[in-house]
Amino acid sequence: MVSIATIFIGFMTLLVAELRHLQRNAKLPIRGHRFLQTFGYALIAIGFAIPMFDGRMPGGSFTPVRTVLLILSLLGGALLVWTTFLEIPIGMAKFKLAPGRAYDLGSYRRCRHPGFWWFMLFSASFIAWEGGELGFARFFAANLLNLLLIFLQDKYTFPLQFANYHEYAAIVPFLIPKLPHSRKQ
């Protein structure tokens, strides 16, 4: 139960960080925003890790299924870190894009919130890997809170943060990725 509460508090911290943008109608970064985001993300990670250290996680050998689940979890986590923290700043620098505009390259060309899918992959495979009776509740709580955060960002805070967000949203789908166009020759 502590893990669910920790994940909940983490997402509430992220929501508070986003709501501060609405409160101040800020187009520039708000003081303390990065700290709140970092704290929120850390709480969510801790919430997922708690069962590994509280003695309730079932032991067991690394069966082929558990090994695949662990690999999928690590892959989902790595892709989540990439899309959430690295892809945009690296892409902005690489392509010399102007700040204050929505990034529409890479995975953000396919859907506006690709991290949603990587979080879903991470959380589903991690919880299936670790087992336990509260895993199902943690999975749904975390993913519903993530979806709530994404809706708030997409509808309210991102249009304030990015000058071209409405145009970007008109072209790039919300969550269901558009497939690459096949070229006919």
Side-chain angles (χ1 to χ4, degrees):
M1 207 56 159
V2 172
S3 62
I4 294 173
T6 305
I7 290 169
F8 179 79
I9 293 168
F11 273 107
M12 290 302 107
T13 303
L14 293 175
L15 285 169
V16 166
E18 294 300 321
L19 290 172
R20 290 185 70 201
H21 278 283
L22 295 175
Q23 179 185 15
R24 301 230 343 238
N25 195 17
K27 293 190 184 278
L28 299 173
I30 295 173
R31 187 178 165 135
H33 182 76
R34 283 277 185 236
F35 172 78
L36 283 174
Q37 283 185 318
T38 302
F39 187 65
Y41 290 130
L43 286 173
I44 293 166
I46 290 167
F48 275 96
I50 285 173
M52 294 174 63
F53 302 105
D54 70 1
R56 287 183 284 150
M57 189 175 119
S61 61
F62 275 85
T63 64
V65 170
R66 286 193 80 217
T67 302
V68 167
L69 289 170
L70 181 60
I71 291 168
L72 287 173
S73 177
L74 293 171
L75 176 65
L79 289 168
L80 178 62
V81 167
W82 168 254
T83 58
T84 305
F85 301 110
L86 302 172
E87 182 177 5
I88 293 174
I90 290 172
M92 296 289 279
K94 178 180 179 181
F95 297 108
K96 296 176 178 49
L97 302 173
R101 300 191 54 81
Y103 183 73
D104 62 355
L105 301 170
S107 62
Y108 289 89
R109 177 173 280 181
R110 305 278 175 239
C111 75
R112 296 193 303 268
H113 302 279
F116 171 82
W117 298 108
W118 305 135
F119 184 74
M120 179 86 71
L121 175 64
F122 161 76
S123 61
S125 53
F126 185 80
I127 286 170
W129 170 76
E130 76 176 9
E133 62 280 347
L134 288 178
F136 194 64
R138 266 187 314 141
F139 170 78
F140 278 106
N143 282 282
L144 285 174
L145 290 167
N146 190 29
L147 195 56
L148 174 65
L149 176 66
I150 289 168
F151 277 124
L152 176 72
Q153 291 171 330
D154 197 75
K155 180 86 170 154
Y156 300 106
T157 60
F158 285 175
L160 291 175
Q161 290 175 312
F162 306 110
N164 66 331
Y165 198 75
H166 291 294
E167 294 83 11
Y168 171 65
I171 298 168
V172 178
F174 177 63
L175 281 181
I176 307 299
K178 62 180 178 182
L179 299 174
H181 299 289
S182 60
R183 295 186 176 172
K184 296 180 182 178
Q185 296 181 6

Short mmCIF file of all heavy atoms in Angstrom, two decimals, residues 49-106:
data_model
loop_
_atom_site.label_atom_id
_atom_site.label_comp_id
_atom_site.label_asym_id
_atom_site.label_seq_id
_atom_site.Cartn_x
_atom_site.Cartn_y
_atom_site.Cartn_z
N ALA A 49 9.80 0.66 -6.87
CA ALA A 49 10.90 -0.12 -6.30
C ALA A 49 10.61 -0.66 -4.90
O ALA A 49 11.22 -1.65 -4.49
CB ALA A 49 12.16 0.74 -6.25
N ILE A 50 9.69 -0.05 -4.17
CA ILE A 50 9.43 -0.44 -2.78
C ILE A 50 9.22 -1.95 -2.60
O ILE A 50 9.83 -2.55 -1.72
CB ILE A 50 8.26 0.37 -2.18
CG1 ILE A 50 8.73 1.79 -1.87
CG2 ILE A 50 7.69 -0.29 -0.93
CD1 ILE A 50 7.63 2.73 -1.44
N PRO A 51 8.38 -2.60 -3.40
CA PRO A 51 8.17 -4.05 -3.18
C PRO A 51 9.43 -4.89 -3.34
O PRO A 51 9.51 -6.00 -2.82
CB PRO A 51 7.13 -4.43 -4.23
CG PRO A 51 6.42 -3.16 -4.52
CD PRO A 51 7.46 -2.09 -4.41
N MET A 52 10.43 -4.37 -4.04
CA MET A 52 11.67 -5.12 -4.20
C MET A 52 12.46 -5.16 -2.89
O MET A 52 13.29 -6.05 -2.70
CB MET A 52 12.53 -4.50 -5.30
CG MET A 52 11.90 -4.60 -6.67
SD MET A 52 12.83 -3.72 -7.92
CE MET A 52 14.37 -4.60 -7.90
N PHE A 53 12.19 -4.22 -2.00
CA PHE A 53 13.00 -4.10 -0.80
C PHE A 53 12.24 -4.32 0.50
O PHE A 53 12.84 -4.31 1.57
CB PHE A 53 13.67 -2.71 -0.77
CG PHE A 53 14.52 -2.47 -1.97
CD1 PHE A 53 14.10 -1.62 -2.98
CD2 PHE A 53 15.75 -3.11 -2.11
CE1 PHE A 53 14.88 -1.40 -4.10
CE2 PHE A 53 16.54 -2.90 -3.23
CZ PHE A 53 16.10 -2.04 -4.23
N ASP A 54 10.93 -4.50 0.43
CA ASP A 54 10.18 -4.66 1.67
C ASP A 54 9.96 -6.11 2.06
O ASP A 54 9.25 -6.40 3.01
CB ASP A 54 8.86 -3.90 1.61
CG ASP A 54 7.84 -4.51 0.66
OD1 ASP A 54 8.13 -5.54 0.03
OD2 ASP A 54 6.73 -3.94 0.55
N GLY A 55 10.53 -7.03 1.33
CA GLY A 55 10.46 -8.44 1.69
C GLY A 55 9.21 -9.16 1.22
O GLY A 55 9.06 -10.35 1.44
N ARG A 56 8.29 -8.45 0.57
CA ARG A 56 7.05 -9.10 0.13
C ARG A 56 7.12 -9.59 -1.31
O ARG A 56 6.27 -10.34 -1.76
CB ARG A 56 5.86 -8.15 0.27
CG ARG A 56 5.45 -7.96 1.71
CD ARG A 56 4.24 -7.09 1.81
NE ARG A 56 4.66 -5.71 1.57
CZ ARG A 56 3.88 -4.78 1.02
NH1 ARG A 56 2.66 -5.07 0.64
NH2 ARG A 56 4.32 -3.57 0.85
N MET A 57 8.11 -9.15 -2.05
CA MET A 57 8.21 -9.58 -3.44
C MET A 57 8.57 -11.05 -3.49
O MET A 57 9.52 -11.49 -2.85
CB MET A 57 9.29 -8.77 -4.16
CG MET A 57 9.29 -9.03 -5.65
SD MET A 57 10.47 -7.95 -6.46
CE MET A 57 11.53 -9.17 -7.15
N PRO A 58 7.78 -11.82 -4.23
CA PRO A 58 8.09 -13.24 -4.29
C PRO A 58 9.44 -13.49 -4.94
O PRO A 58 9.80 -12.82 -5.90
CB PRO A 58 6.96 -13.82 -5.15
CG PRO A 58 6.33 -12.67 -5.83
CD PRO A 58 6.66 -11.44 -5.05
N GLY A 59 10.16 -14.39 -4.35
CA GLY A 59 11.45 -14.76 -4.93
C GLY A 59 11.22 -15.62 -6.16
O GLY A 59 10.18 -15.58 -6.78
N GLY A 60 12.14 -16.40 -6.46
CA GLY A 60 11.95 -17.30 -7.59
C GLY A 60 13.09 -17.21 -8.54
O GLY A 60 13.85 -16.25 -8.56
N SER A 61 13.19 -18.23 -9.30
CA SER A 61 14.28 -18.29 -10.26
C SER A 61 13.93 -17.46 -11.48
O SER A 61 12.80 -17.07 -11.70
CB SER A 61 14.53 -19.74 -10.66
OG SER A 61 13.36 -20.26 -11.25
N PHE A 62 14.94 -17.22 -12.27
CA PHE A 62 14.74 -16.50 -13.51
C PHE A 62 14.33 -17.49 -14.59
O PHE A 62 15.16 -18.03 -15.29
CB PHE A 62 16.01 -15.73 -13.91
CG PHE A 62 16.09 -14.40 -13.25
CD1 PHE A 62 16.62 -14.26 -11.98
CD2 PHE A 62 15.61 -13.27 -13.90
CE1 PHE A 62 16.69 -13.03 -11.38
CE2 PHE A 62 15.67 -12.03 -13.30
CZ PHE A 62 16.21 -11.91 -12.03
N THR A 63 13.04 -17.71 -14.66
CA THR A 63 12.49 -18.56 -15.72
C THR A 63 12.57 -17.78 -17.02
O THR A 63 12.76 -16.55 -17.01
CB THR A 63 11.03 -18.92 -15.41
OG1 THR A 63 10.26 -17.71 -15.42
CG2 THR A 63 10.90 -19.63 -14.06
N PRO A 64 12.41 -18.44 -18.14
CA PRO A 64 12.41 -17.69 -19.41
C PRO A 64 11.36 -16.57 -19.44
O PRO A 64 11.65 -15.48 -19.93
CB PRO A 64 12.12 -18.77 -20.46
CG PRO A 64 12.65 -20.03 -19.86
CD PRO A 64 12.38 -19.89 -18.37
N VAL A 65 10.18 -16.82 -18.89
CA VAL A 65 9.13 -15.80 -18.90
C VAL A 65 9.54 -14.61 -18.03
O VAL A 65 9.41 -13.46 -18.45
CB VAL A 65 7.78 -16.40 -18.41
CG1 VAL A 65 6.74 -15.31 -18.19
CG2 VAL A 65 7.28 -17.41 -19.42
N ARG A 66 10.05 -14.87 -16.85
CA ARG A 66 10.48 -13.78 -15.96
C ARG A 66 11.65 -13.02 -16.57
O ARG A 66 11.76 -11.81 -16.41
CB ARG A 66 10.85 -14.31 -14.58
CG ARG A 66 9.61 -14.70 -13.78
CD ARG A 66 9.88 -14.92 -12.31
NE ARG A 66 9.95 -13.62 -11.66
CZ ARG A 66 10.80 -13.34 -10.68
NH1 ARG A 66 11.64 -14.25 -10.26
NH2 ARG A 66 10.80 -12.16 -10.13
N THR A 67 12.52 -13.71 -17.28
CA THR A 67 13.65 -13.04 -17.93
C THR A 67 13.15 -12.11 -19.02
O THR A 67 13.61 -10.96 -19.12
CB THR A 67 14.63 -14.08 -18.50
OG1 THR A 67 15.08 -14.92 -17.42
CG2 THR A 67 15.82 -13.42 -19.15
N VAL A 68 12.21 -12.57 -19.83
CA VAL A 68 11.64 -11.73 -20.88
C VAL A 68 10.93 -10.52 -20.27
O VAL A 68 11.07 -9.39 -20.75
CB VAL A 68 10.69 -12.54 -21.79
CG1 VAL A 68 9.86 -11.63 -22.69
CG2 VAL A 68 11.47 -13.54 -22.61
N LEU A 69 10.19 -10.74 -19.18
CA LEU A 69 9.50 -9.63 -18.52
C LEU A 69 10.48 -8.59 -17.99
O LEU A 69 10.26 -7.38 -18.11
CB LEU A 69 8.61 -10.14 -17.39
CG LEU A 69 7.36 -10.90 -17.81
CD1 LEU A 69 6.71 -11.56 -16.61
CD2 LEU A 69 6.39 -9.98 -18.54
N LEU A 70 11.58 -9.04 -17.43
CA LEU A 70 12.59 -8.11 -16.92
C LEU A 70 13.22 -7.33 -18.07
O LEU A 70 13.41 -6.10 -17.97
CB LEU A 70 13.66 -8.86 -16.13
CG LEU A 70 14.77 -7.99 -15.54
CD1 LEU A 70 14.20 -6.96 -14.58
CD2 LEU A 70 15.80 -8.87 -14.85
N ILE A 71 13.52 -8.01 -19.16
CA ILE A 71 14.10 -7.33 -20.33
C ILE A 71 13.12 -6.30 -20.89
O ILE A 71 13.51 -5.16 -21.20
CB ILE A 71 14.53 -8.35 -21.41
CG1 ILE A 71 15.73 -9.15 -20.91
CG2 ILE A 71 14.83 -7.66 -22.74
CD1 ILE A 71 16.07 -10.36 -21.75
N LEU A 72 11.83 -6.66 -21.00
CA LEU A 72 10.83 -5.71 -21.48
C LEU A 72 10.70 -4.51 -20.54
O LEU A 72 10.54 -3.37 -20.99
CB LEU A 72 9.47 -6.40 -21.64
CG LEU A 72 9.35 -7.35 -22.83
CD1 LEU A 72 8.01 -8.09 -22.78
CD2 LEU A 72 9.50 -6.58 -24.13
N SER A 73 10.77 -4.77 -19.25
CA SER A 73 10.69 -3.69 -18.27
C SER A 73 11.88 -2.73 -18.42
O SER A 73 11.71 -1.51 -18.44
CB SER A 73 10.65 -4.28 -16.86
OG SER A 73 10.66 -3.25 -15.91
N LEU A 74 13.07 -3.29 -18.54
CA LEU A 74 14.26 -2.45 -18.72
C LEU A 74 14.20 -1.68 -20.03
O LEU A 74 14.57 -0.50 -20.08
CB LEU A 74 15.53 -3.30 -18.65
CG LEU A 74 15.83 -3.93 -17.29
CD1 LEU A 74 16.98 -4.92 -17.40
CD2 LEU A 74 16.10 -2.86 -16.25
N LEU A 75 13.72 -2.32 -21.09
CA LEU A 75 13.57 -1.65 -22.38
C LEU A 75 12.56 -0.50 -22.27
O LEU A 75 12.83 0.61 -22.72
CB LEU A 75 13.12 -2.65 -23.46
CG LEU A 75 12.84 -2.07 -24.84
CD1 LEU A 75 14.12 -1.50 -25.45
CD2 LEU A 75 12.24 -3.13 -25.74
N GLY A 76 11.40 -0.78 -21.67
CA GLY A 76 10.39 0.27 -21.49
C GLY A 76 10.93 1.42 -20.65
O GLY A 76 10.70 2.59 -20.98
N GLY A 77 11.65 1.10 -19.59
CA GLY A 77 12.23 2.15 -18.75
C GLY A 77 13.26 2.98 -19.49
O GLY A 77 13.29 4.21 -19.38
N ALA A 78 14.11 2.32 -20.27
CA ALA A 78 15.12 3.04 -21.04
C ALA A 78 14.48 3.94 -22.09
O ALA A 78 14.89 5.10 -22.26
CB ALA A 78 16.08 2.05 -21.70
N LEU A 79 13.47 3.44 -22.79
CA LEU A 79 12.79 4.25 -23.79
C LEU A 79 12.02 5.41 -23.14
O LEU A 79 11.93 6.51 -23.71
CB LEU A 79 11.86 3.38 -24.64
CG LEU A 79 12.60 2.44 -25.60
CD1 LEU A 79 11.66 1.42 -26.20
CD2 LEU A 79 13.33 3.23 -26.68
N LEU A 80 11.48 5.18 -21.95
CA LEU A 80 10.79 6.25 -21.22
C LEU A 80 11.78 7.35 -20.84
O LEU A 80 11.50 8.54 -21.03
CB LEU A 80 10.13 5.67 -19.96
CG LEU A 80 9.42 6.67 -19.05
CD1 LEU A 80 8.26 7.33 -19.80
CD2 LEU A 80 8.91 5.97 -17.80
N VAL A 81 12.94 6.98 -20.34
CA VAL A 81 13.96 7.97 -20.01
C VAL A 81 14.39 8.73 -21.26
O VAL A 81 14.54 9.95 -21.26
CB VAL A 81 15.17 7.30 -19.30
CG1 VAL A 81 16.37 8.24 -19.24
CG2 VAL A 81 14.78 6.82 -17.91
N TRP A 82 14.56 8.00 -22.36
CA TRP A 82 14.96 8.64 -23.62
C TRP A 82 13.93 9.69 -24.06
O TRP A 82 14.27 10.84 -24.30
CB TRP A 82 15.16 7.61 -24.73
CG TRP A 82 15.27 8.22 -26.09
CD1 TRP A 82 14.34 8.21 -27.08
CD2 TRP A 82 16.37 9.00 -26.59
NE1 TRP A 82 14.80 8.92 -28.17
CE2 TRP A 82 16.03 9.42 -27.89
CE3 TRP A 82 17.60 9.38 -26.06
CZ2 TRP A 82 16.88 10.19 -28.67
CZ3 TRP A 82 18.44 10.16 -26.85
CH2 TRP A 82 18.08 10.55 -28.14
N THR A 83 12.66 9.30 -24.17
CA THR A 83 11.65 10.23 -24.69
C THR A 83 11.32 11.35 -23.71
O THR A 83 11.03 12.47 -24.13
CB THR A 83 10.34 9.51 -25.09
OG1 THR A 83 9.82 8.83 -23.96
CG2 THR A 83 10.53 8.58 -26.23
N THR A 84 11.38 11.06 -22.41
CA THR A 84 10.99 12.07 -21.43
C THR A 84 12.09 13.07 -21.13
O THR A 84 11.82 14.26 -20.97
CB THR A 84 10.55 11.38 -20.12
OG1 THR A 84 9.51 10.43 -20.41
CG2 THR A 84 10.02 12.37 -19.11
N PHE A 85 13.33 12.60 -21.05
CA PHE A 85 14.40 13.48 -20.59
C PHE A 85 15.47 13.81 -21.64
O PHE A 85 16.13 14.83 -21.50
CB PHE A 85 15.11 12.84 -19.39
CG PHE A 85 14.19 12.59 -18.23
CD1 PHE A 85 13.85 11.30 -17.88
CD2 PHE A 85 13.65 13.64 -17.50
CE1 PHE A 85 13.01 11.05 -16.81
CE2 PHE A 85 12.80 13.41 -16.44
CZ PHE A 85 12.47 12.10 -16.09
N LEU A 86 15.66 12.97 -22.63
CA LEU A 86 16.81 13.14 -23.52
C LEU A 86 16.47 13.52 -24.96
O LEU A 86 17.17 14.34 -25.56
CB LEU A 86 17.65 11.85 -23.52
CG LEU A 86 18.17 11.41 -22.16
CD1 LEU A 86 18.82 10.04 -22.25
CD2 LEU A 86 19.13 12.44 -21.59
N GLU A 87 15.45 12.91 -25.52
CA GLU A 87 15.18 13.08 -26.94
C GLU A 87 14.97 14.54 -27.34
O GLU A 87 15.54 15.00 -28.34
CB GLU A 87 13.97 12.24 -27.37
CG GLU A 87 13.67 12.34 -28.85
CD GLU A 87 12.52 11.47 -29.30
OE1 GLU A 87 11.85 10.83 -28.46
OE2 GLU A 87 12.30 11.42 -30.52
N ILE A 88 14.18 15.27 -26.59
CA ILE A 88 13.87 16.65 -26.97
C ILE A 88 15.11 17.55 -26.86
O ILE A 88 15.46 18.22 -27.84
CB ILE A 88 12.67 17.20 -26.17
CG1 ILE A 88 11.41 16.42 -26.59
CG2 ILE A 88 12.50 18.70 -26.42
CD1 ILE A 88 10.18 16.75 -25.78
N PRO A 89 15.81 17.59 -25.71
CA PRO A 89 16.98 18.49 -25.68
C PRO A 89 18.07 18.11 -26.67
O PRO A 89 18.69 18.99 -27.29
CB PRO A 89 17.50 18.40 -24.24
CG PRO A 89 16.72 17.35 -23.56
CD PRO A 89 15.56 16.99 -24.42
N ILE A 90 18.28 16.82 -26.87
CA ILE A 90 19.30 16.40 -27.85
C ILE A 90 18.85 16.76 -29.26
O ILE A 90 19.63 17.29 -30.05
CB ILE A 90 19.59 14.89 -27.71
CG1 ILE A 90 20.34 14.62 -26.40
CG2 ILE A 90 20.39 14.37 -28.91
CD1 ILE A 90 20.51 13.15 -26.06
N GLY A 91 17.59 16.50 -29.58
CA GLY A 91 17.07 16.84 -30.91
C GLY A 91 17.05 18.33 -31.17
O GLY A 91 17.38 18.79 -32.27
N MET A 92 16.68 19.12 -30.16
CA MET A 92 16.65 20.58 -30.32
C MET A 92 18.06 21.10 -30.63
O MET A 92 18.23 21.96 -31.49
CB MET A 92 16.10 21.26 -29.06
CG MET A 92 14.67 20.92 -28.73
SD MET A 92 13.45 21.64 -29.83
CE MET A 92 13.33 23.28 -29.19
N ALA A 93 19.05 20.57 -29.92
CA ALA A 93 20.44 21.00 -30.14
C ALA A 93 20.96 20.50 -31.50
O ALA A 93 21.59 21.25 -32.25
CB ALA A 93 21.33 20.51 -29.01
N LYS A 94 20.68 19.24 -31.80
CA LYS A 94 21.19 18.64 -33.04
C LYS A 94 20.65 19.36 -34.28
O LYS A 94 21.39 19.62 -35.23
CB LYS A 94 20.80 17.16 -33.09
CG LYS A 94 21.25 16.45 -34.34
CD LYS A 94 20.85 14.99 -34.32
CE LYS A 94 21.26 14.28 -35.60
NZ LYS A 94 20.85 12.88 -35.61
N PHE A 95 19.34 19.67 -34.27
CA PHE A 95 18.72 20.27 -35.44
C PHE A 95 18.62 21.79 -35.33
O PHE A 95 17.99 22.43 -36.16
CB PHE A 95 17.35 19.64 -35.69
CG PHE A 95 17.42 18.18 -36.00
CD1 PHE A 95 16.99 17.24 -35.07
CD2 PHE A 95 17.95 17.74 -37.20
CE1 PHE A 95 17.08 15.89 -35.35
CE2 PHE A 95 18.03 16.38 -37.48
CZ PHE A 95 17.60 15.45 -36.55
N LYS A 96 19.23 22.36 -34.27
CA LYS A 96 19.27 23.81 -34.06
C LYS A 96 17.87 24.42 -34.14
O LYS A 96 17.63 25.40 -34.86
CB LYS A 96 20.22 24.47 -35.04
CG LYS A 96 21.66 24.03 -34.85
CD LYS A 96 22.57 24.64 -35.90
CE LYS A 96 24.01 24.28 -35.75
NZ LYS A 96 24.41 22.95 -35.56
N LEU A 97 16.95 23.85 -33.38
CA LEU A 97 15.57 24.31 -33.37
C LEU A 97 15.40 25.42 -32.33
O LEU A 97 16.04 25.43 -31.29
CB LEU A 97 14.62 23.15 -33.06
CG LEU A 97 14.70 21.98 -34.05
CD1 LEU A 97 13.85 20.82 -33.58
CD2 LEU A 97 14.29 22.43 -35.45
N ALA A 98 14.50 26.33 -32.61
CA ALA A 98 14.25 27.46 -31.72
C ALA A 98 13.55 26.98 -30.44
O ALA A 98 12.64 26.15 -30.51
CB ALA A 98 13.38 28.49 -32.43
N PRO A 99 13.95 27.50 -29.30
CA PRO A 99 13.26 27.14 -28.06
C PRO A 99 11.84 27.73 -28.05
O PRO A 99 11.56 28.68 -28.77
CB PRO A 99 14.13 27.77 -26.96
CG PRO A 99 14.98 28.78 -27.64
CD PRO A 99 15.07 28.40 -29.08
N GLY A 100 10.98 27.13 -27.25
CA GLY A 100 9.61 27.62 -27.14
C GLY A 100 8.66 27.08 -28.19
O GLY A 100 7.52 27.53 -28.28
N ARG A 101 9.14 26.13 -28.96
CA ARG A 101 8.29 25.50 -29.97
C ARG A 101 8.20 24.01 -29.68
O ARG A 101 9.13 23.42 -29.15
CB ARG A 101 8.85 25.75 -31.37
CG ARG A 101 8.93 27.25 -31.69
CD ARG A 101 9.22 27.58 -33.11
NE ARG A 101 8.35 27.00 -34.10
CZ ARG A 101 7.14 27.45 -34.44
NH1 ARG A 101 6.63 28.47 -33.83
NH2 ARG A 101 6.46 26.87 -35.39
N ALA A 102 7.08 23.40 -30.02
CA ALA A 102 6.89 21.97 -29.80
C ALA A 102 7.85 21.18 -30.68
O ALA A 102 8.02 21.47 -31.86
CB ALA A 102 5.45 21.56 -30.09
N TYR A 103 8.48 20.20 -30.10
CA TYR A 103 9.41 19.32 -30.82
C TYR A 103 8.59 18.31 -31.60
O TYR A 103 7.78 17.57 -31.03
CB TYR A 103 10.32 18.63 -29.81
CG TYR A 103 11.37 17.74 -30.42
CD1 TYR A 103 12.47 18.29 -31.08
CD2 TYR A 103 11.27 16.36 -30.34
CE1 TYR A 103 13.44 17.48 -31.64
CE2 TYR A 103 12.24 15.55 -30.89
CZ TYR A 103 13.31 16.11 -31.54
OH TYR A 103 14.27 15.30 -32.10
N ASP A 104 8.77 18.26 -32.90
CA ASP A 104 7.94 17.39 -33.75
C ASP A 104 8.76 16.41 -34.58
O ASP A 104 8.38 16.03 -35.68
CB ASP A 104 7.04 18.22 -34.66
CG ASP A 104 7.82 19.11 -35.62
OD1 ASP A 104 9.07 19.16 -35.53
OD2 ASP A 104 7.17 19.76 -36.46
N LEU A 105 9.89 15.98 -34.04
CA LEU A 105 10.74 15.02 -34.73
C LEU A 105 10.83 13.74 -33.91
O LEU A 105 10.33 13.66 -32.80
CB LEU A 105 12.13 15.63 -34.94
CG LEU A 105 12.17 16.92 -35.76
CD1 LEU A 105 13.55 17.55 -35.71
CD2 LEU A 105 11.73 16.66 -37.19
N GLY A 106 11.48 12.73 -34.48
CA GLY A 106 11.66 11.47 -33.76
C GLY A 106 10.35 10.83 -33.35
O GLY A 106 9.39 10.81 -34.13
#
